[in-house]
């Protein structure tokens, strides 16, 4: 058998090159609107979970500032609770701590 000659293929254009300028612009606008909506949703979720944001007018900068303050407050509470657990473990003695840990598992 004789090998068949290979046909020259035209290079395919990338999918974004197949779009018209109007389609590219419309896609860009839609993507930007989706991005903005996701940011708004994120700010709304922060307003729901940060207690000091439940009332009044809130700028995005204020929402971020109060969110950071709230997170720092929660970290402080967590660290205080860890210290209390450590203190109580010391009072109860090591055997009790091991017993409680195995009971929790």
């Amino acid at each position: 058998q004789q090998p068949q000659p290979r046909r020259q293929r035209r290079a395919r254009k990338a999918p974004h090159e197949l779009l018209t300028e109007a389609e590219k612009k419309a896609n860009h606008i839609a993507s930007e609107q989706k991005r903005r909506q996701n940011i708004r949703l994120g700010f709304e979720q922060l307003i729901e979970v940060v207690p000091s944001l439940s009332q009044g007018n809130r700028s995005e900068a204020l929402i971020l500032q109060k969110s950071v303050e709230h997170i720092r407050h929660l970290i402080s509470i967590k660290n205080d609770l860890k210290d209390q657990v450590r203190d109580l473990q010391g009072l109860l003695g090591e055997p009790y701590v091991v017993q409680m840990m195995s009971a929790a598992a």
Side-chain angles (χ1 to χ4, degrees):
Q1 281 185 340
Q2 192 174 10
Q4 295 186 1
R6 293 183 182 219
R7 284 193 252 172
Q8 292 286 346
R9 282 189 164 184
R10 284 187 290 163
R12 279 192 170 173
K13 289 187 174 184
H16 69 279
E17 292 178 12
L18 299 176
L19 300 175
T20 66
E21 288 302 314
E23 291 170 326
K24 288 179 187 178
K25 184 175 182 177
N27 285 347
H28 175 73
I29 290 169
S31 295
E32 181 64 15
Q33 287 174 341
K34 184 176 180 181
R35 185 187 72 82
R36 289 180 185 168
Q37 179 59 32
N38 286 334
I39 290 171
R40 274 193 295 276
L41 178 63
F43 279 107
E44 288 169 10
Q45 290 173 337
L46 286 172
I47 289 168
E48 289 175 12
V49 298
V50 177
S52 60
L53 291 174
S54 59
Q55 74 286 342
N57 191 9
R58 302 161 297 254
S59 68
E60 290 178 353
L62 181 67
I63 292 169
L64 293 174
Q65 179 185 2
K66 295 293 185 181
S67 297
V68 168
E69 289 173 8
H70 183 63
I71 291 168
R72 287 183 175 148
H73 176 69
L74 292 174
I75 290 170
S76 175
I77 290 172
K78 179 193 75 163
N79 290 334
D80 290 345
L81 289 171
K82 280 182 165 182
D83 290 343
Q84 288 179 19
V85 167
R86 207 173 300 117
D87 292 345
L88 290 171
Q89 286 174 337
L91 287 173
L92 294 172
E94 192 63 31
Y96 181 78
V97 173
V98 172
Q99 181 183 1
M100 289 301 295
M101 290 176 68
S102 62

